[in-house]
Every structure is written in C-alpha cells, then in structure tokens.
Amino acid sequence: MTEETKIPPKHPRAESLRIREKLIKHFKSGVVAQAGLIAHGRGEAFDYLLGEKTTENARRAFKAVAATMLLAKKPVISVNGNVAALAAEDINKLADVFNAKVEVNLFYRSREREIAIKKVLDEAGVKEVLGIDEKMSAQVSELHSERRRVDKRGILVADVVFVPLEDGDRTEALRKMGKTVIAIDLNPLSRTAQLASITIVDNIIRVIPDLIKEGRKLKTEKLKKLQKIVSDFDNRKNLSNAIKLINKRLLELSEKGVYITQVLQKRRDIR
Ligand code: ATP
C-alpha cells in the first residue's frame, strides 16, 4: 500500500495531503530537490491565507498572461522539479495552446535531476525538452555557477519566459536580459512575485488548467484586443490587491472568529 492510499478521503485536508504525497514520491525519484519540499510548505502557508481558491485578482492576472503568451514571438516555459512533479501534463497542454517551448531550468542542477525531470515530461507527452543538452547550453552573465545555464534554442532567445515557481535571483537576471517574465507565486511578497512582469498569485495546481482554458478562449481574438488586455494590466496594482485581500481576509476572520467557530462546530466533542 502506498502512502497515498492511506489518506482518508474524508480528511478535511485530503487534497493538500495528496499533493504532499506526490511531491514526496517525486522527491524519492530525484525529480524534486530537498529545498523544493520546503518551498512547497511556504506556498501552502500563503494558500491558507488566500483562502485556497482562485481570486478575481488572480483571474485578471492570468488573462493578461494568456494574452502575453499569445502575443509572444518565442515563448518558453521553464520547468523545475516542483513544476514537473505537480503539473507535467498541464505543462504539455499549456505549451501546446501557446506554441511554447519547454525548458528544464534548475536552481539545484544535477545531471540526475535533469534526466529525472525529462522522463516525467516525456511521459506527460512533451515532444521536445530543452535545457539538458550540454552542447546547446549558454550562460547568463548575471548569474553564478550552474544556475547560469540556459538553452540557446530556448530561454536565451525567448522574448517571454513563463517561470511557474522561480527564485528571485533568476527572475531578476531574466528581467535584466530584457525578457518579459511571468511567474506563478502564492507569496505576493517574494522577490520573484515582486520582480516578475506579471505575477499570478495562486496555486500552480489550480491555475494552470484555468490558464489553458483562457488561452483557448483568447486564441481567436484580434491582435488589438490582446494588446489592450496586456496594456491595461498593472502588476504593481495586482500585487497590492493580493496583499490587501490577505489583509482583508485576516481582518474578517479575526473579528468574527468564523474559521475557528466552523472548526469547532464540526468537532462537537471539543468545548
Ligand atoms: P524569492 O527568492 O522569490 O524571494 P523564495 O525564497 O520564497 O522567494 P523559493 O523558496 O525559491 O523562493 O520558492 C518558493 C516560492 O514558490 C514561494 O514564494 C512559494 O510561495 C511559492 N510556491 C510554492 N509552492 C507553490 C505552488 N504550489 N503554487 C504557487 N506558488 C508556490
């Protein structure tokens, strides 16, 4: 019996536990780095604060992302261990909708991890996986050590880089290279969230399926409409709204004690 089957289906946090099991499974197979597990925990904490649902604010951001990806000449989706573990099949669909390349790009790079991630992406149906052929590798001068590597056919020449779950240094380096950087990050305060051109403050698991739908919907729209969606979007305002939402939610909960009361109502044995 796997760990996954041991999760009681009625457990109030069953879905969250299933996702954790998925990450642990992929940690054991070498796809996810140790630090990836910690990063997930940080994300979970912010998801709690956001109410574990996609907000209207996030919807506005992913609409701007869909338009940006459709307008891009050379869009690339950058994949790390957590992204491969949580969303490999969706990444394949996303690449298809936006005609984007898929590149393995790792903070904790090792040959074994690259190969393990490629395998997961291959199995998910991704036709071409960039970022692992050393002959095609180029260096980003803004970064140090192994984190400098990018693919000559991918991120190096991309105009738009979609980095679901990225670290602040690389987001900054990509911006300095003149790329439009799109991030998904549950923490509106992280450097990645703050430095990206567009930040979707949401859980990668919830938002990628919606982004795929939005991409399919906007695909038939005229260029002008897509350009207007992009120019109307303001990432400063988006991030500020996300912080305000957390603030408002915490204020409401702290005033009414709603959440605590609900939990106690379910647990009548607790007085
Ligand atoms: P930065 O370097 O950008 O300041 P950080 O140190 O928090 O931020 P990392 O630890 O590299 O960056 O990445 C973790 C980030 O990914 C966190 O900000 C976390 O909120 C976010 N995150 C983790 N899991 C998810 C998820 N499932 N969906 C969306 N965001 C997530």
Side-chain angles (χ1 to χ4, degrees):
M1 185 157 64
T2 67
E3 288 293 317
E4 195 167 342
T5 52
K6 282 186 213 153
I7 299 168
K10 287 198 173 147
H11 189 289
R13 308 205 59 76
E15 184 55 21
S16 168
L17 294 178
R18 269 194 288 274
I19 293 165
R20 283 187 183 181
E21 289 306 326
K22 218 176 188 180
L23 280 168
I24 292 168
K25 186 185 105 187
H26 285 287
F27 169 70
K28 288 180 181 161
S29 69
V31 168
V32 171
Q34 270 174 342
L37 298 178
I38 298 169
H40 182 76
R42 187 175 289 171
E44 277 184 341
F46 277 92
D47 211 8
Y48 233 106
L49 299 180
L50 284 159
E52 294 173 294
K53 57 176 197 286
T54 299
T55 63
E56 269 317 302
N57 195 49
R59 285 185 194 286
R60 273 193 295 275
F62 75 63
K63 191 168 178 185
V65 167
T68 302
M69 291 288 279
L70 289 170
L71 290 168
K73 291 194 174 63
K74 291 184 174 179
V76 172
I77 303 169
S78 166
V79 176
N80 66 13
N82 283 40
V83 175
L86 296 177
E89 269 142 38
D90 281 339
I91 290 294
N92 182 36
K93 288 184 201 153
L94 201 66
D96 212 37
V97 173
F98 295 115
N99 212 2
K101 292 195 182 296
V102 175
E103 176 167 338
V104 176
N105 202 268
L106 304 179
F107 191 102
Y108 298 96
R109 200 181 266 279
S110 72
R111 194 66 194 147
E112 292 74 32
R113 177 154 301 118
E114 284 174 351
I115 291 166
I117 294 176
K118 182 179 180 325
K119 186 167 174 265
V120 171
L121 292 172
D122 284 346
E123 283 167 7
V126 177
K127 284 179 215 86
E128 190 187 18
V129 179
L130 304 181
I132 50 169
D133 181 350
E134 277 169 33
K135 289 194 290 295
M136 290 296 160
S137 131
Q139 312 245 312
V140 176
S141 53
E142 281 82 358
L143 287 169
H144 305 289
S145 68
E146 280 301 284
R147 295 160 63 201
R148 300 169 85 162
R149 273 176 50 188
V150 289
D151 197 299
K152 283 178 191 165
R153 302 158 295 176
I155 291 178
L156 189 72
V157 291
D159 54 346
V160 176
V161 188
F162 184 41
V163 285
L165 317 186
E166 183 54 287
D167 83 290
D169 289 347
R170 265 209 314 243
T171 306
E172 189 174 9
L174 292 170
R175 290 300 304 271
K176 279 189 186 157
M177 289 166 77
K179 319 274 182 204
T180 297
V181 179
I182 296 166
I184 300 177
D185 198 326
L186 280 158
N187 175 7
L189 302 169
S190 81
R191 281 182 315 142
T192 302
Q194 296 281 330
L195 291 168
S197 319
I198 307 178
T199 312
I200 308 175
V201 183
D202 201 355
N203 197 321
I204 179 175
I205 290 167
R206 277 194 303 271
V207 84
I208 296 193
D210 281 351
L211 181 57
I212 294 166
K213 278 188 217 144
E214 192 68 35
R216 287 186 182 137
K217 204 167 96 193
L218 290 184
K219 229 174 177 172
T220 52
E221 292 291 350
K222 293 205 170 73
L223 213 68
K224 274 209 164 152
K225 163 127 191 217
L226 297 179
Q227 284 162 341
K228 179 150 170 43
I229 293 172
V230 176
S231 63
D232 282 351
F233 183 78
D234 177 346
N235 207 39
R236 287 282 115 223
K237 204 161 142 195
N238 164 44
L239 291 169
S240 151
N241 283 343
I243 297 166
K244 276 187 200 150
L245 275 170
I246 293 177
N247 200 15
K248 183 169 170 272
R249 201 173 119 78
L250 288 179
L251 206 67
E252 278 171 11
L253 291 175
S254 63
E255 276 168 2
K256 296 183 200 153
V258 175
Y259 185 70
I260 297 159
T261 316
Q262 280 171 354
V263 172
L264 287 181
Q265 273 167 357
K266 280 190 195 146
R267 298 287 310 269
R268 291 188 191 284
D269 49 332
I270 299 175
R271 293 273 168 257

